[in-house]
Structure formats: structure tokens, C-alpha cells
Amino acid sequence: MTAVLLAAPVAPPAAAQSANAPLAGFEEYVARAVKDWGVPGLAVAVVKDDSTVFARGYGVRTIGTHDTVDTHTLFALGSTTKAFTTMALAMMVDAGKVRWDDAVTAYLPGFVLRDPYVSREVTLRDLLTHELGFGDPDYMWYGSDQPLAEMIRRLRYLPPETSFRSHFAYNNIGYAVAGQIAGTVNHSSWDDLVRTRILGPLGMSETVMEGPDLRGKANVTRPHQAVDDTLRALPASSQQLVDAIAPAGSMYSNVLDMAKWLRFLLDSGRVEKKRLVSDTAFAELMTPQVLVGRQEFYPTAKLTNPNFIAYGLAWFLEDYRGEKVVFHTGSIDGLVAIVGLIPARRLGVVVLANRDHAEVRHALMYRVFDSYLGAPHRDWSADMRAMYQKIQDSVKVAKKEADAKRVKDTKPSLALAGYAGTYADSLYGSVTVRLERGGLVLAPSQFLTADLEHWNYDTFRARYRNRWLGTSLVTFRLAPDGKVSAIDLDHGQILARVAPPKAASSGAH
């Protein structure tokens, strides 16, 4: 794959072009990194003090076309959306409509978790610091057709993984709930709150809140992901994957609008000297709230060696070369983002790209930081590419080892029709397994529909029709009578088979 590497300048100051400027050579460095990482398209902006000193687009919006990326091209923000949600909440704190440590049930009386104590004690802050006692139940929202209200209702059936407030475990649904509360206390929706209180005042006129808002817009990138070892553009339908939990990651923007967001953040919540959020509420967002273990952090720590890692309110926090770094990434199928700040230096960078987990985003962020900290220029792109390649290689080895455990020459216990039916539990909901053209089809939702191929014994490999999702294994459990009693999905969720309704009897009574 050869990407078209065209830069789209937006009149940076002349100083950015001089040989002695901090970003001298950065444009060429990005172009080379985009090519080395095989990224179809990428955009980057750098803000220093109150000026956008660099903004460029590279490559193409869709592989195989000449539709170049420019500084107006819209990309998914992914989880960098979360910072807009906490900023909106900070404004509601200023207005006296909510407090960080208010109980969630004060605003959502129907919010119930499995432990009655946790249900009573969980606060808005707990939602925002990922300390609910369980990680993200992504099977509840990813590719699901159910609304957020139903997801919230089902949380009561979710068993905790750790004790409450004892462990950082990233959780998107917590942010979806927090965003709903923000809209509720403002007597509006989360979308309207962010649009009117943040996007409007900042002049972020090209930013959209959710996937459907992209309709009719031409300058939008397509997501890309490797399918059968070939990089392909994903369908536009994948751009609405996060809409059900929108406050956790549904927004789309470009680097010009995001540069306005960076300037706002680097000026501690002010726009043209007008404060939109109090300094107290603003400071809370970037104050360490919970320590983060290395295992929950990014592999980049192997190269940057931070002395501390923490989480604020929608921001990861670490130290780098003696400076406090505030950043967050965003990732959703085929699209990535990163927003990074060194507040004390009033320095910020945003990178948006259209390839799944294109970790060049981290490399460019640290390259910008080094440029303004006077550090020797390290080839972060090469070093991170080597590190992430080792990780990918280890994943491939693990997959081969798992595949090698397959017991060959076995047969299913039953005829295929014996596995068809509906399976359900209170947490997951229901899935159907049906016979179709002589084979079995697993259908948790339209997005997650998969063809089942026999693997061994009563285990089948699910090959998703949205091919970039890859494969997974599902196992049918048999009851003592030899009939199927349950299905074990790949994430460990066991759904019981639902008995079909009995046919009504005929005849006189």
C-alpha cells in the first residue's frame, strides 16, 4: 500500500519554518512517519501559548483514492470525547447544579449495581475515575442495538471484579452515565450541553457530536483496518459504533477545531480572556484522582519511564522530562486520536489518524514535546514502531499457540439443527443461533452476525460477516439429556437456552 503524502498547510507563523525554530524539520518527520507506519491519512496540529504554530494534513481520506486529508478533514475523537464531557460537568458544578461527590442515585434513582452498598455510595467522581469495581462491559454496547437506558438497567446483574474504589479499570459506560447526568441537570441533552456551552463559545463550528451528524459532509475520513492482512477501508456504518454511549467517545472533529480546544485548555478554561469555567473546577479535571498501574497504562511507558501515572477526570497524567503531561487517546474501529498537553509550558498537540491503533500518534506527541523542552531529537517513530511490532508479533504467536490446541478430526455431538435456538441471560440479553444454507449463524445483533464453523467437539469458530472483527470461539454446553443447555461466548458470558413456547393444544375442553 502506498499512501499519497500531500501536506495541506494552514499558514503557520514564519518562525515555525526557520531552521532554528523548535519544529524545524517536523513536517518532513511526520510525512516519513506516516509512510513508515502505513497510515493512509493523518492530521496534526501544535499549539504554543495562544497560537496554532503547526497544522497539516497528510495522506488520503480513503485508501485507493486521491481524496487528500487537509486540516478540515473530520476524524473520530474516540475517547478524547470524554474530556468534553467532564468539562461540561465542571460547568454544571460551577452553576451549582451538581457536585463531583454527589451520589449517582440523586440524579438517576434507577441506577442499581449488584452490591447494594455500592449502589448507594457510588458518586459522579467514581464514574469519571473508572473505580466502579469492574472494567468496561463492552459486550453491552459494542455493536449492540440496545439503548443506554437498557444498559444502565442491566448493570445490576454485572458481578464486580474487584472491590469498590480499589482498582482503576477503564469503563466507558460510566462516562455514558455521567454524560446523561450532565444533560439532565442542564434540562437538556448531553449533545446540546456540549454544543452550547463549549463548541459554540470556542468557535468549533466544524465539530459534530455523533456519527449521524456526518451525513452530507464530504470531507470525512474513512476508518481503515487490516482484513486478512490487507489494509481496507471500513464501511461508513462503523462510524456510529459509539453513539449508544456517546459521552464516552462519539465526537468527530478536525485539527483546526481541536487547536481551538487546545488553546482553551492551555489558557485554563478561558476564551479571549473570558473564563468559561472557574479555575477551581478546571483544576479538578487535571488533578490526580487515582493512581494507574503499569498494566492499565500504555506500553509507551517502557520507553518514557514515568515516575508517576495517574488519572484525573478524563485525562491520563504522567511526568516526562520533569514536566507534568496531561493526555488522552481515542480509539474506535479504524480511527485513532491523541490529545497531549504540557500545561506549564502552554504546549499542546493533537494527532488524528485513520488506521486502527496507529500508535504513531504517541511518537508524534513526544517528538513535539522534545522539540519545546530542548531535548535531543529521538526517533520516537522508529523506536515505538519497533516496540509495537514486538507486541504484534507476540499476539500472533499466542494466536498460533491457541490454534494449535485445536483437537482435529472431531465432530459435533448433535446435528446442526440441535444447536439452533435462542439463548439469553439478564445481563447480556439474547442471541439467536439459526440454520442458514446448511450452516449455523450466530446473531447477537446485525453488526455482530457471524457464521459458525466447527472447531472441535461442541466448539465453533465464529467468523464475523464484518470481516475486520476477525473470529472468536463459542462453545455449546450439553445437558445430561444430550440437548444443548447453554452457549459460552468468547468473553466468558454463558447464556442459557430459552425453551420455545409450547404449542397450544387443540380439541374440546
Side-chain angles (χ1 to χ4, degrees):
M1 185 276 295
T2 302
V4 180
L5 301 176
L6 298 177
V10 180
Q17 305 298 328
S18 69
N20 296 322
L23 293 179
F26 183 62
E27 180 179 342
E28 295 77 14
Y29 186 83
V30 178
R32 185 169 65 253
V34 168
K35 182 177 180 180
D36 289 344
W37 286 78
V39 175
L42 176 146
V44 57
V46 179
V47 168
K48 180 68 174 78
D49 299 321
D50 197 35
S51 299
T52 302
V53 296
F54 188 95
R56 294 285 190 279
Y58 298 82
V60 293
R61 302 196 299 269
T62 306
I63 194 171
T65 73
H66 296 286
D67 299 330
T68 57
V69 171
D70 59 33
T71 52
H72 293 276
T73 301
L74 293 172
F75 291 80
L77 295 185
S79 286
T80 64
T81 298
K82 290 180 172 66
F84 289 88
T85 296
T86 55
M87 183 62 70
L89 279 163
M91 293 173 175
M92 295 300 95
V93 169
D94 281 342
K97 296 182 178 181
V98 69
R99 294 175 296 182
W100 299 117
D101 295 306
D102 282 347
V104 172
T105 52
Y107 306 97
L108 291 177
F111 185 82
V112 177
L113 299 179
R114 190 155 176 168
D115 185 329
Y117 168 79
V118 179
S119 300
R120 184 178 67 250
E121 296 296 324
V122 66
T123 66
L124 185 60
R125 190 187 303 272
D126 295 320
L127 296 177
L128 302 174
T129 58
H130 307 289
E131 293 183 282
L132 296 177
F134 53 88
D136 188 38
D138 54 1
Y139 52 83
M140 292 180 67
W141 62 265
Y142 183 82
S144 172
D145 300 326
Q146 62 181 312
L148 177 59
E150 177 61 13
M151 296 182 213
I152 294 173
R153 188 190 70 80
R154 291 183 185 178
L155 286 176
R156 69 194 63 196
Y157 304 114
L158 183 64
E161 298 167 3
T162 65
S163 57
F164 181 43
R165 294 181 185 151
S166 69
H167 186 76
F168 175 89
Y170 199 83
N171 195 312
N172 283 300
I173 287 186
Y175 267 79
V177 174
Q180 179 169 319
I181 290 173
T184 298
V185 299
N186 192 55
H187 305 291
S188 68
S189 65
W190 166 80
D191 303 53
D192 288 340
L193 173 60
V194 172
R195 267 194 295 260
T196 58
R197 296 295 298 270
I198 301 175
L199 301 187
L202 269 58
M204 297 177 66
S205 59
E206 297 182 60
T207 300
V208 302
M209 299 302 298
E210 298 182 21
D213 298 333
L214 297 172
R215 295 186 188 123
K217 297 184 182 295
N219 196 356
V220 180
T221 193
R222 285 278 293 278
H224 294 81
Q225 192 161 330
V227 179
D228 300 329
D229 296 324
T230 300
L231 190 65
R232 302 181 188 276
L234 304 187
S237 60
S238 66
Q239 295 172 326
Q240 299 181 30
L241 278 175
V242 198
D243 289 350
I245 53 166
S250 68
M251 293 173 66
Y252 279 73
S253 190
N254 57 42
V255 293
L256 289 185
D257 265 14
M258 289 301 287
K260 297 173 183 177
W261 173 237
L262 292 177
R263 289 169 61 191
F264 170 68
L265 295 171
L266 293 171
D267 201 17
S268 67
R270 287 179 289 225
V271 177
E272 296 179 353
K273 299 183 180 181
K274 178 182 179 182
R275 181 167 287 286
L276 301 187
V277 60
S278 70
D279 55 355
T280 302
F282 180 87
E284 194 72 20
L285 303 176
M286 299 181 185
T287 296
Q289 307 283 333
V290 57
L291 293 178
V292 178
R294 286 287 181 108
Q295 66 275 19
E296 285 96 18
F297 196 60
Y298 301 87
T300 55
K302 297 176 183 178
L303 300 178
T304 59
N305 297 309
N307 292 297
F308 86 94
I309 304 168
Y311 199 79
L313 301 179
W315 294 102
F316 282 100
L317 310 169
E318 64 172 349
D319 62 292
Y320 178 69
R321 295 190 178 276
E323 302 283 350
K324 175 185 175 182
V325 170
V326 179
F327 79 102
H328 211 292
T329 59
S331 304
I332 193 63
D333 291 13
L335 294 164
V336 299
I338 194 167
V339 175
L341 311 167
I342 299 183
R345 300 286 183 130
R346 294 194 69 184
L347 174 65
V349 57
V350 56
V351 180
L352 308 173
N354 63 2
R355 179 168 184 168
D356 196 69
H357 282 85
E359 303 306 344
V360 65
R361 55 185 170 175
H362 291 277
L364 298 181
M365 181 179 76
Y366 288 109
R367 175 65 162 76
V368 169
F369 289 168
D370 282 352
S371 297
Y372 282 91
L373 295 177
H377 280 178
R378 177 177 182 174
D379 192 349
W380 283 108
S381 176
D383 291 350
M384 287 199 177
R385 196 155 49 90
M387 180 188 69
Y388 277 101
Q389 187 61 55
K390 287 182 180 179
I391 294 173
Q392 291 176 14
D393 291 345
S394 66
V395 170
K396 290 179 180 178
V397 169
K399 185 179 185 304
K400 287 182 179 179
E401 292 175 350
D403 289 350
K405 295 179 181 179
R406 178 185 184 184
V407 181
K408 298 181 180 179
D409 302 321
T410 65
K411 295 181 179 180
S413 301
L414 306 172
L416 294 184
Y419 299 96
T422 300
Y423 301 82
D425 79 348
S426 299
L427 174 61
Y428 188 89
S430 65
V431 304
T432 59
V433 176
R434 65 177 185 266
L435 271 174
E436 187 177 290
R437 299 178 181 176
L440 290 174
V441 175
L442 176 73
S445 67
Q446 183 176 353
F447 183 82
L448 295 174
T449 298
D451 295 292
L452 297 183
E453 306 166 349
H454 183 248
W455 184 250
N456 59 210
Y457 300 113
D458 294 307
T459 296
F460 291 73
R461 179 168 63 182
R463 189 178 296 277
Y464 294 95
R465 292 182 177 177
N466 284 327
R467 291 171 57 200
W468 72 91
L469 300 179
T471 64
S472 64
L473 296 179
V474 298
T475 299
F476 293 90
R477 296 189 174 191
L478 303 187
D481 62 2
K483 295 181 180 179
V484 176
S485 62
I487 187 172
D488 189 345
L489 302 179
D490 64 321
H491 49 70
Q493 195 69 29
I494 300 171
L495 310 184
R497 190 171 191 174
V498 178
K502 294 182 179 179
S505 60
S506 60
H509 295 280

